[in-house]
Amino acid sequence: MITKIFYKVLIIYSLIFHLDLIAQDKYGISNEFHLKNRNNLRDQMPENSVSVLFSNPVRNRSNDVYYSYHPDPNYYYLTGWREPHSVLMIFKNSLKDSLGSYDEILFVRERNPYDEQWNGKRKGLEGAKKLGFDRVISKKSFSQMNFNFETFDKVLLNPFQTDVKDIISDESDLFDLQNQLKGKINYPDGYDPEIFKWYNRIESVNNKDAEKLKNQLRFYTKRNKHILNDKIIQKFISMDTEEFMKETIRKSSYFIPDFNFNFDLLTKYLTNQREIKSTEEIDLIRKAVKISAVGQSEVMKAVKSGMSEREIQGLHQYIYKRYGAAHEGYPSIVGAGENSCILHYITNDKTNVKNQLILMDLGAEYQGYTADVTRTIPINGRFTPEQRQIYEIVYKAQEAGIEMAKKGNSFSQIYEATKKVALEGLMELGILKDPKNLRTYYPHGVAHHIGLDVHDPGNYGPISENMIITVEPGIYIPEGSDCDSKWWSIGVRIEDDILITNSGNENLSKFAPRKWKLIEKTMSLKSPLDKFNLPDIVN
Ligand code: GLY
Ligand code: MN
Ligand code: MN
């Protein structure tokens, strides 16, 4: 009886609270949002500088097949433009031409009826003008632009994408646009932007931080040995710091080539902006997360022993599309048993899953913004005592982490709160013998920003209002671990998306059951997908 009432309440609740998911909106955010982002970037730029950004390449899958186009998030954030082969210029100080003054130019590809018949409509210059730019110009004119880039104190760039294909029939595709800019700024052949970033840091470091920078560089070179071949990097590392810091030596072109382009600042400014979400962004992320959370809850009802990882992945993704999300925001992670212990497992090819936990880390991307939600459930609907004990530790760790996800706190406070619970729990169960080895079973960070990217840019300083971050502790005990074999192949991650508010936080993914009892109850409910029977295909 109680169970029946529970079912009814849950169904009515679902109907009332998820109706908003059905409505389809027009794509994206207002022009004002993107304009404000450009103005905020300009405010941070140094005097007499220009930012030059390129759209993402169209990526080849194989032969004549291409991946569906995904705009570069920074580019989209600043423009609202979602087509390839485009350049954005933002000037710190206004310029003048015969039409008046302007401080930005968007270069876009032209319309092309033949290509549009095969690959879909292009917005063209007219469409771009509707975005509200000072100047919209055909990309064909980029090479003829007669700016003297040497007159700018700084040309701010993101590292050039290297997987850009030259389309022979187009003399102003992204490949050409990049090369045209390289010519204009005297970009040396074969230059490594990574090394150049370090030059910028070396050039601008003050005496107090020089030793620290040297240590960061040494640490970086452990994994990126190739940069040690660079003479300037070698000198900075090997020379006495005090001696090196003498202005005349450091600034001499013998050490630092005198280029005016910079690959550091743009990332820094855009990180400052993107880590705090606007009201409109929050609305879209809220929707992406809700779709994902409802997906988790519906999949809990629909999964059955014997299903494959891929099938379960498909159920989530079908639900995303039903609610208008174009696709997932990152490759879906659906891993059962041993596979639940592989942190970014995306093979998802295990069939006939039985009596095991299945870890489902998926996020719908809705109008460019992605969720990142994980639930771990027993495929047969009942946790074993061992599975439940590990689940409970992760659940309590997550509760402690969410409690710390508050304005003014630090990201490390979130991590430390979760770690304390995980450590105590694993020691108590005798799985962990030495606290020093916690990372064996508790290997990853527990919080990151989400937004246009699943791992959105962030400074990871104090937590502030209108950040949206994950809290995602996980314990993974692969086969062969140094503990009783009854714990093997148990991997549990619970991940929620948390909006930081003025007074605390809001769990945007709360619609996905999280307590083990509620998961079991939800899994016992009927699903509309129970009736989705397909014919057998033998051969
Ligand atoms: N889905 C990747 C992550 O949780 O960070
Ligand atoms: Mn995550
Ligand atoms: Mn995740």
Side-chain angles (χ1 to χ4, degrees), residues 57-76:
V58 178
R59 290 182 158 116
N60 184 258
R61 184 169 184 267
S62 77
N63 192 17
D64 58 350
V65 173
Y66 292 82
Y67 287 105
S68 60
Y69 186 65
H70 193 269
D72 170 70
N74 283 330
Y75 205 81
Y76 176 71

Side-chain angles (χ1 to χ4, degrees), residues 363-382:
E365 184 177 306
Y366 186 78
Q367 303 201 357
Y369 286 83
T370 188
D372 185 9
V373 181
T374 308
R375 290 293 182 266
T376 308
I377 62 172
I379 185 115
N380 62 10
R382 289 257 173 251

Side-chain angles (χ1 to χ4, degrees), residues 330 361 372-374 448 450 454-455 470 472 493 495 497:
Y330 55 93
D361 179 346
D372 185 9
V373 181
T374 308
H448 61 80
I450 58 166
V454 63
H455 296 153
T470 65
E472 51 171 311
R493 175 160 67 252
E495 175 171 31
D497 299 339

Side-chain angles (χ1 to χ4, degrees), residues 17 76 149 173 186 208 368 433:
F17 287 93
Y76 176 71
F149 278 83
D173 64 355
N186 302 319
K208 190 165 65 63
K433 280 135 205 138

